[in-house]
Amino acid sequence: MRTVELLLDEAADLAVREAWRRLADAGLPSQARHRSPTNSPHLTLATCPELTAPIRWELAEVAAELPLSVRFTGVVRFERPTSVLAWALDCNPLLAALHRRVWEAVASDSPSETLNPFHTPGRWSPHVTLGRTRRAGAFAGRRVPELLPAPPLSAQLTTLRSYDTETGVVEVLEPRP
């Protein structure tokens, strides 16, 4: 599978990494435990089996629209089927439109059964993951928000990239020249 993700500006990236560190120091699930050099704070927009030429064409147009300003709204937890702790992002109209374009690009040239339904426009919850585990309820009932630094008030989404889950290769998706 290939992801389509947005990376954060340097200050927001550092704030997320500080949150990762604090969770790890407290013995909680944290993205800091993933030592891969490809592990970066990011916002996942969609996944698809491959980035075909038509998908790449559309994604190049999306990349040309960056950077995009966003606002963090606080801590959110998901149980789906893994336990996830994240900082939520406000799905402002510009972010929603950008996400819809990415979704339409991947959906236009991918078998529908291969697409993650959590990424469907209207169902997608923009967030930056802080910690994840297969242990159900890992973050429930804990005073996790007190451990974390406050999320940045705002950030810039600066770079569109794709991660290949089979090869581990990261590719920056550039605007067309």
Side-chain angles (χ1 to χ4, degrees), residues 5 20 26 28 31 57 60 63 72 81 91 95 107 115 164-167 173:
E5 306 169 346
W20 290 0
L28 293 168
Q31 293 305 100
W57 182 265
F72 284 91
C91 194
L95 179 57
L115 301 175
D164 186 322
T165 62
E166 292 177 23
T167 66
L173 302 170

Side-chain angles (χ1 to χ4, degrees), residues 4-71:
V4 180
E5 306 169 346
L6 289 167
L7 299 181
L8 305 168
D9 66 74
E10 185 177 352
D13 182 279
L14 289 172
V16 171
R17 289 178 190 277
E18 174 63 15
W20 290 0
R21 185 193 62 75
R22 289 186 186 191
L23 288 171
D25 288 351
L28 293 168
S30 169
Q31 293 305 100
R33 298 186 197 288
H34 299 281
R35 299 278 185 214
S36 168
T38 62
N39 184 34
S40 297
H42 65 274
L43 170 63
T44 302
L45 300 168
T47 59
C48 59
E50 64 178 302
L51 295 181
T52 62
I55 293 171
R56 286 176 179 281
W57 182 265
E58 294 298 323
L59 294 180
E61 289 188 4
V62 170
E65 296 177 16
L66 299 175
L68 177 69
S69 295
V70 292
R71 188 174 55 84

Side-chain angles (χ1 to χ4, degrees), residues 57-127:
W57 182 265
E58 294 298 323
L59 294 180
E61 289 188 4
V62 170
E65 296 177 16
L66 299 175
L68 177 69
S69 295
V70 292
R71 188 174 55 84
F72 284 91
T73 59
V75 175
V76 64
R77 294 180 176 111
F78 302 105
E79 297 288 336
R80 55 162 143 160
T82 58
S83 292
V84 175
L85 180 74
W87 277 338
L89 294 171
D90 178 36
C91 194
N92 67 47
L94 291 175
L95 179 57
L98 184 140
H99 172 256
R100 180 171 294 283
R101 289 185 63 199
V102 169
W103 174 263
E104 289 172 354
V106 300
S108 73
D109 207 30
S110 300
S112 60
E113 67 275 6
T114 65
L115 301 175
N116 185 331
F118 290 120
H119 296 146
T120 306
R123 189 167 181 197
W124 178 66
S125 296
H127 65 277

Side-chain angles (χ1 to χ4, degrees), residues 130-154:
L130 303 175
R132 168 192 332 259
T133 182
R134 294 185 191 271
R135 194 168 19 106
F139 299 105
R142 299 192 184 230
R143 302 182 84 129
V144 174
E146 295 171 11
L147 294 172
L148 300 174
L153 294 177
S154 63

